[in-house]
């Protein structure tokens, strides 16, 4: 059974960059594509006439973006859904039936129906499938490598599994990044000692070793690079992934209050978007 990619469209330049990225990936992977346009009803009258016009406008937008997708040369299976509603809720519901959700990144725009700014972060927190957020300006020649954050958590292990498959498929190195900072004691400077540095390095090496265990057997040709960085995690990942093919980070999952909290690292890299970012699911 082929994979299904759900791509949010709104006719903007940012959305079309994400659409092109998703279509290229779907072609490579033999995946089918569903385009989704949501007309935001937050500022609409609840009258039947207004809602009917909004639905018609949504369908027109979907038709235009479907035609645009075909103009890019995509020959795979493509379908579409046009709805009126709250974008976060509608995308969350649609993500139940997708293998990957793809969104563009909008900075500062607040057009009705668009997937912009913090909405990408909120969608990534609530979606039922992995979410790819694509920068508005794609790197013409990305440097080879799939970057993944490692911290020893279950979320990190899931991210490593996804990143390894991606790197193997692309024939690119897997770059496993572990970032650490010395503990901060209130009112004091950072406390340094050779023992502290050595213990942190040992913990980092152990976390990476556990995280990548078994990958050599599964992907014999996969090159794995290990980077241990003394830096805040977001800064380390953004720097390592600047211009890279892909950055993969793990989420906390979807339970209780955690479904509303993406996590500071995932949130931070989505705000910076040094390259296409995939947020994996629990």
């Amino acid at each position: 059974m082929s994979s299904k990619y759900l791509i949010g469209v709104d006719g903007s330049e940012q959305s079309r960059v994400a659409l092109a990225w998703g279509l290229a990936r779907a072609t490579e992977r033999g995946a089918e594509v569903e385009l989704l346009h949501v007309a935001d009803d937050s500022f609409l009258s609840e009258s039947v006439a207004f809602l009917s016009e909004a639905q018609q406008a949504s369908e027109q937008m979907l038709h235009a973006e479907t035609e645009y997708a075909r103009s890019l040369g995509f020959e795979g299976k493509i379908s579409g859904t046009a709805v009126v509603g709250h974008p976060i809720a509608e995308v969350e519901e649609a993500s139940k039936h997708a293998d990957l959700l793809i969104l563009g990144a909008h900075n500062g725009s607040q057009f009705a129906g668009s997937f912009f700014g913090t909405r990408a972060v909120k969608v990534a927190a609530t979606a039922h499938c992995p979410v790819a957020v694509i920068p508005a300006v794609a790197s013409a020649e990305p440097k080879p490598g799939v970057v993944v954050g490692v911290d020893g958590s279950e979320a990190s292990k899931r991210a490593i599994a996804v990143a390894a498959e991606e790197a193997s498929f692309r024939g690119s190195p897997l770059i496993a990044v572990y970032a650490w900072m010395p503990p901060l004691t209130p009112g004091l400077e950072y406390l340094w000692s050779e023992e502290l540095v050595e213990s942190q390095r040992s913990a980092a090496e152990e976390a990476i070793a556990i995280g990548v265990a078994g990958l050599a057997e599964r992907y014999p040709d996969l090159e794995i690079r290990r980077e241990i960085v003394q830096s805040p995690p977001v800064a380390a990942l953004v720097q390592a992934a600047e211009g890279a093919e892909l950055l993969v980070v793990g989420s906390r999952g979807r339970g209780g209050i955690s479904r509303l909290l993406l996590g500071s690292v995932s949130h931070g890299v989505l705000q910076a978007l040094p390259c296409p970012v995939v947020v994996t699911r629990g």
Side-chain angles (χ1 to χ4, degrees):
M1 182 177 179
S2 64
S3 298
K4 181 177 181 179
Y5 294 169
L6 178 66
I7 307 177
V9 296
D10 59 23
S12 67
E13 180 180 350
Q14 297 93 329
S15 169
R16 287 190 166 185
V17 170
L19 176 57
W21 187 91
L23 294 176
R25 181 187 174 92
T27 298
E28 294 174 348
R29 306 297 179 98
E32 63 180 83
V33 168
E34 178 183 355
L35 306 185
L36 173 65
H37 180 262
V38 183
D40 192 340
D41 65 358
S42 301
F43 307 103
L44 297 177
S45 166
E46 295 183 0
S47 73
V48 174
F50 273 101
L51 294 178
S52 177
E53 289 183 8
Q55 180 64 40
Q56 184 178 8
S58 183
E59 291 172 358
Q60 290 174 345
M61 174 64 73
L62 178 65
H63 176 74
E65 293 311 287
T66 301
E67 290 296 308
Y68 179 75
R70 289 301 185 192
S71 76
L72 295 178
F74 182 68
E75 298 178 351
K77 182 178 179 180
I78 187 168
S79 60
T81 301
V83 296
V84 178
H86 191 283
I88 305 300
E90 296 294 343
V91 175
E92 177 187 355
E93 180 63 26
S95 72
K96 294 178 180 179
H97 311 290
D99 297 290
L100 178 67
L101 169 61
I102 301 168
L103 303 175
H106 293 66
N107 296 319
S109 299
Q110 295 193 9
F111 297 108
S114 64
F115 297 98
F116 62 85
T118 58
R119 274 199 183 161
V121 174
K122 293 176 181 177
V123 168
T126 59
H128 294 259
C129 66
V131 178
V133 182
I134 313 304
V137 180
S139 177
E141 294 184 8
K143 62 183 181 183
V146 175
V147 179
V148 62
V150 179
D151 63 11
S153 67
E154 288 302 315
S156 170
K157 293 176 183 177
R158 290 189 294 269
I160 292 170
V162 171
E165 192 279 331
E166 287 283 345
S168 176
F169 184 88
R170 296 164 182 263
S172 301
L174 174 67
I175 304 170
V177 178
Y178 186 105
W180 68 277
M181 289 292 288
L184 177 63
T185 301
L188 299 177
E189 299 295 331
Y190 284 113
L191 300 178
W192 293 92
S193 70
E194 292 184 5
E195 291 78 7
L196 171 64
V197 174
E198 183 58 34
S199 66
Q200 289 287 351
R201 178 165 293 278
S202 296
E205 291 174 348
E206 181 180 4
I208 292 179
I210 293 174
V212 304
L215 294 183
E217 291 74 17
R218 186 169 184 178
Y219 307 107
D221 297 325
L222 178 63
E223 176 188 355
I224 302 175
R225 301 177 186 172
R226 298 164 170 81
E227 295 188 6
I228 300 174
V229 184
Q230 183 194 319
S231 173
V234 172
L237 289 172
V238 168
Q239 181 175 0
E242 190 67 47
E245 293 177 90
L246 195 69
L247 169 59
V248 183
V249 291
S251 70
R252 299 176 178 179
R254 301 185 75 264
I257 192 65
S258 67
R259 69 188 297 275
L260 301 177
L261 301 174
L262 187 60
S264 59
V265 174
S266 299
H267 192 148
V269 298
L270 286 181
Q271 293 293 323
L273 276 185
C275 68
V277 174
V278 170
V279 179
T280 62
R281 302 307 312 172

